[in-house]
Amino acid sequence: MSTLLSLLDAFDDRPEARNLRELTYRGLGDAVVDVGCGGGRAVGELTARGANAIGIDSNPTMIEAAIERWPAGEFRIGDATALPLPDGSVTGYRADKVLHALTEPEQAVAEARRVLAGNGRAVLVGQDWDTIVIDSDDPELTRTLVHARADTLPNPRIARRYRNLLLDNGFVDVSVEVHTTVFTDETCLPMLANIAGEGDWFDAQARRARNDRLFVALPIFLVSGTRAK
């Protein structure tokens, strides 16, 4: 779990990731649930701004880490497809890098609609795991590695369905944004190791990083909508 937290921290500490989080906070109101809260950063930041923010994660270790890191926040163990919240109890729903890990993402979005009050805002954020762009001397192998890593996930391509998921669950005014994070240094090597493991391909990418020749681009989809009354 420390490895996962380290990967999340490395990404979330980047300026473009901080800017993207700011965009996800728009219009969430004063009662927010952050589903799949991980280490709790978003809950901590929202709480510091005066929101009543609740972080929910199915992993007890993540919840323990979140409580330790952000003691002012509220955190609960729970399932994204069966949230421990009453109907219409929040004004904002946020799920960042979550739905790809679920076997039933459709149910998670149905839960978003259930717990949101009328005119509440849902925000879905995540990557399409097939669309990681990596410069490499062996593009065929790179494509194979990226797709093989994607196929280990329950729903690696769910981000391209975010808009339709919201529309299918009665959300209106649905908007789509794409924000691309570009890596050109060693900070993304843990992510590349997660994709490929150790070996010649990873060693070549590490050399690129040392020689200022690394290029990795990660498109992040931000899709939001309003729950119709």
Side-chain angles (χ1 to χ4, degrees), residues 145-224:
L145 291 170
V146 168
H147 290 176
R149 177 64 179 93
D151 288 343
T152 67
L153 300 167
N155 274 287
R157 289 164 284 279
I158 194 65
R160 66 184 70 173
R161 293 183 52 209
Y162 283 171
R163 180 178 184 272
N164 286 341
L165 285 175
L166 289 177
L167 291 171
D168 290 345
N169 280 278
F171 286 85
V172 297
D173 300 326
V174 177
S175 65
V176 179
E177 302 175 20
V178 182
H179 299 264
T180 302
T181 298
V182 174
F183 300 87
T184 59
D185 59 30
E186 63 184 10
T187 59
C188 82
L189 290 180
M191 181 179 74
L192 296 180
N194 184 261
I195 290 172
E198 296 182 359
D200 292 344
W201 184 90
F202 177 77
D203 291 343
Q205 292 296 318
R207 283 195 298 274
R208 282 172 171 260
R210 291 194 298 271
N211 296 325
D212 193 25
R213 292 298 183 269
L214 186 75
F215 183 88
V216 178
L218 185 65
I220 305 292
F221 296 80
L222 189 162
V223 184
S224 61

Side-chain angles (χ1 to χ4, degrees), residues 26-81:
R26 296 177 303 188
L28 292 179
D30 56 9
V32 183
V33 60
D34 187 45
V35 177
C37 65
R41 187 186 300 255
V43 170
E45 291 177 347
L46 288 165
T47 299
R49 297 165 192 224
N52 177 19
I54 302 170
I56 293 177
D57 202 289
S58 62
N59 191 312
T61 305
M62 281 293 191
I63 292 296
E64 289 174 8
I67 291 171
E68 181 178 349
R69 291 177 170 205
W70 308 96
E74 180 179 351
F75 299 97
R76 304 178 190 174
I77 298 171
D79 187 330
T81 62

Side-chain angles (χ1 to χ4, degrees), residues 102-166:
L102 304 180
T103 56
E104 297 179 300
E106 301 85 356
Q107 182 57 38
V109 178
E111 275 292 274
R113 188 181 192 283
R114 180 186 70 78
V115 301
L116 279 168
N119 291 326
R121 178 179 173 86
V123 177
L124 309 178
V125 189
Q127 71 191 69
D128 184 310
W129 284 72
D130 271 354
T131 56
I132 303 172
V133 179
I134 305 172
D135 188 23
S136 167
D137 294 332
D138 191 340
E140 259 188 60
L141 176 59
T142 301
R143 187 182 304 113
T144 297
L145 291 170
V146 168
H147 290 176
R149 177 64 179 93
D151 288 343
T152 67
L153 300 167
N155 274 287
R157 289 164 284 279
I158 194 65
R160 66 184 70 173
R161 293 183 52 209
Y162 283 171
R163 180 178 184 272
N164 286 341
L165 285 175
L166 289 177

